[in-house]
């Protein structure tokens, strides 16, 4: 028997899947634009793994909640939902700031200066902060703690590879522009 909170969680997950599908369409369109401007792609070796990983994450969330009958944890679940919503806001702030330069691949158009506005004023990788927050919070909305732990740890390994590849592809101009910006946690400046 499906509980009311499980039905709501399933609806939330359906919206998340629809969002990801729309992002893939946007990513494909923006990648084509980047290639038309002379963009060069790197990191193809880990990209397929990343797509499979994120697809399995969505499946695992639903499977754990319904298969293991995970409970809704009240205040903890509401806090996880708030974290997931904040992650989406940060993701779309980053995507909106990058505009047609955003895609899910690593494609660099030679000669373009790095984007340093929006959330990039505070962090080098705001979209990855959103992903970390999402992979932790979404499963915890309905008590799927195994999924939260497994995919958070797996994502750390994936991001280690991804960020190294991305920063290498972006090169010296990126390194100079972001030399004093933290990767993930914004600095609180005093004074």
């Amino acid at each position: 028997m499906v509980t009311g909170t499980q039905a709501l969680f399933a609806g939330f997950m359906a919206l998340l899947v629809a969002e990801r599908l729309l992002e893939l369409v946007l990513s494909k369109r923006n990648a084509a634009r980047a290639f038309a401007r002379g963009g060069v792609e790197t990191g193809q070796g880990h990209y397929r793994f990343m797509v499979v990983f994120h697809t399995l994450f969505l499946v695992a969330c639903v499977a754990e909640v319904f298969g293991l009958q995970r409970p809704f944890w009240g205040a903890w679940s509401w806090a996880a939902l708030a974290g997931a919503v904040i992650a989406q806001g940060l993701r779309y702030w980053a995507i909106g700031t990058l505009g047609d330069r955003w895609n899910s691949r690593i494609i660099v158009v030679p000669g373009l200066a790095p984007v340093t506005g929006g959330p990039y004023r505070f962090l080098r990788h705001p979209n990855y902060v959103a992903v970390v927050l999402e992979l932790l919070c979404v499963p915890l909305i309905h008590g799927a703690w195994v999924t939260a732990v497994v995919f958070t740890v797996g994502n750390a390994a994936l991001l280690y590879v991804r960020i190294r590849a991305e920063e290498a592809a972006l090169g010296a101009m990126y390194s100079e522009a972001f030399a004093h910006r933290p990767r993930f946690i914004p600095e609180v400046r005093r004074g």
Side-chain angles (χ1 to χ4, degrees), residues 47-86:
Y47 183 75
R48 286 185 183 161
F49 177 76
M50 190 173 77
V51 170
V52 170
F53 180 84
H54 284 276
T55 302
L56 288 175
F57 167 74
L58 297 169
V59 172
C61 286
V62 174
E64 185 174 350
V65 167
F66 287 91
L68 298 178
Q69 292 298 305
R70 296 296 193 208
F72 186 81
W73 290 337
W76 287 106
S77 292
W78 288 111
L81 176 61
V85 170
I86 288 168

Side-chain angles (χ1 to χ4, degrees), residues 6 8 11-12 31 42 92 112 116 122-123 161-162 168 187:
Q6 284 177 324
L8 290 172
F12 179 83
T42 60
Y92 287 105
L112 284 183
T116 57
F122 311 107
L123 299 168
V161 172
R162 174 77 174 188
E187 292 177 350

Side-chain angles (χ1 to χ4, degrees), residues 20-179:
R20 292 299 167 268
L21 293 173
L22 288 173
E23 286 175 12
L24 288 175
V25 170
L26 177 63
S27 175
K28 186 175 182 176
R29 185 193 74 193
N30 289 346
R33 288 178 176 173
F35 287 132
R37 293 185 304 217
V40 177
E41 183 175 8
T42 60
Q44 299 96 320
H46 72 268
Y47 183 75
R48 286 185 183 161
F49 177 76
M50 190 173 77
V51 170
V52 170
F53 180 84
H54 284 276
T55 302
L56 288 175
F57 167 74
L58 297 169
V59 172
C61 286
V62 174
E64 185 174 350
V65 167
F66 287 91
L68 298 178
Q69 292 298 305
R70 296 296 193 208
F72 186 81
W73 290 337
W76 287 106
S77 292
W78 288 111
L81 176 61
V85 170
I86 288 168
Q88 298 314 304
L90 181 56
R91 173 192 317 285
Y92 287 105
W93 187 18
I95 289 172
T97 299
L98 291 174
D100 70 356
R101 291 171 66 173
W102 177 84
N103 67 75
S104 59
R105 299 177 176 273
I106 300 173
I107 304 170
V108 177
V109 177
L112 284 183
V115 173
T116 57
Y120 297 92
R121 289 177 296 173
F122 311 107
L123 299 168
R124 293 183 197 188
H125 300 290
N127 190 59
Y128 297 147
V129 171
V131 171
V132 167
L133 190 58
E134 179 181 72
L135 268 59
L136 179 63
C137 291
V138 167
L140 294 179
I141 292 171
H142 217 288
W145 64 270
V146 173
T147 299
V149 169
V150 168
F151 282 87
T152 296
V153 170
N155 187 53
L158 182 58
L159 284 180
Y160 177 79
V161 172
R162 174 77 174 188
I163 289 171
R164 289 171 58 97
E166 188 174 295
E167 289 184 354
L170 290 168
M173 209 177 344
Y174 170 85
S175 296
E176 289 172 24
F178 287 91

